[in-house]
Amino acid sequence: MATVSIIYWSGTGNTEIMAEAIKEGVESTGIDVSIKLVDIATIDDVKDAKAVILGSPAMGDEVLADEMEDFVSQMEKEGIKNKIAGAFGSHGWGSGQWMRDFVKQLKKNGFNVIGGGLTIHLTPGDEEKEQCRNYGKQIAEKVK
Ligand SMILES: Cc1cc2nc3c(=O)[nH]c(=O)nc-3n(C[C@H](O)[C@H](O)[C@H](O)COP(=O)(O)O)c2cc1C
């Protein structure tokens, strides 16, 4: 099982681009990383990792995608707490409230959320992808 586990949902690919760049950032530190769509991820992907990085775009009215919402509920039911965590996602017209709420929820569950959650407006360009790589590196450094 990987040391860092990236689990995400993406409807139109923007959050997926972020996930791939975060993965590159983790890999650049030599830490092993797995990346999975939330639809196929299992709770073991979280349990066995030292750090979990969760991604979802802003959906509905400033909420997580249902698939990620369900996964986080499952994590809560399993009593998974106190891990190093990251949170990321793409958004459109909103102010980023979904991410502030997500980080708050993870913190409430005892997760050490690094960097307060990374948000990108719509499709990440080169600069934003670099931000994602740096975020991955930052989290990887914490598990070394
Ligand atoms: C059904 C739906 C609901 C959305 N709700 C919000 C929202 O509440 N706030 C916001 O900033 N963007 C919202 N968006 C915009 C998406 O977050 C944005 O398009 C994002 O880039 C999608 O990421 P993805 O390509 O990873 O799916 C919504 C998009 C859709 C399709």
Side-chain angles (χ1 to χ4, degrees):
M1 280 289 175
T3 308
V4 175
S5 187
I6 301 172
I7 298 168
Y8 71 97
W9 186 87
S10 182
T12 57
N14 294 332
T15 303
E16 183 160 62
I17 295 169
M18 293 180 75
E20 292 290 348
I22 291 169
K23 174 178 165 259
E24 287 170 17
V26 176
E27 276 173 346
S28 73
T29 68
I31 299 273
D32 61 313
V33 55
S34 78
I35 179 167
K36 284 189 185 173
L37 270 171
V38 72
D39 313 64
I40 58 158
T42 70
I43 220 70
D44 286 342
D45 291 310
V46 180
K47 270 187 190 158
D48 298 339
K50 277 196 189 163
V52 58
I53 313 179
L54 302 170
S56 165
M59 294 300 282
D61 182 11
E62 293 296 320
V63 292
L64 295 172
D66 289 344
E67 291 83 347
M68 183 55 71
E69 196 84 63
D70 291 349
F71 193 77
V72 173
S73 299
Q74 214 184 321
M75 281 168 52
E76 287 174 349
K77 270 192 216 125
E78 294 274 340
I80 298 173
K81 289 173 188 285
N82 306 320
K83 272 186 198 287
I84 294 165
F88 67 96
S90 169
H91 69 105
W93 53 85
S95 71
Q97 190 58 45
W98 104 105
M99 184 56 68
R100 287 191 286 277
D101 291 342
F102 188 27
V103 168
K104 207 185 282 177
Q105 183 180 8
L106 291 170
K107 284 186 174 167
K108 199 185 82 194
N109 290 330
F111 286 87
N112 176 12
V113 187
I114 309 301
L118 179 64
T119 62
I120 297 285
H121 185 241
L122 298 175
T123 306
D126 288 346
E127 206 174 298
E128 287 85 7
K129 281 195 242 175
E130 192 55 25
Q131 262 179 277
C132 293
R133 284 187 205 102
N134 288 335
Y135 192 52
K137 273 187 213 166
Q138 204 188 333
I139 295 168
E141 294 300 336
K142 301 280 179 194
V143 300
K144 272 190 170 174

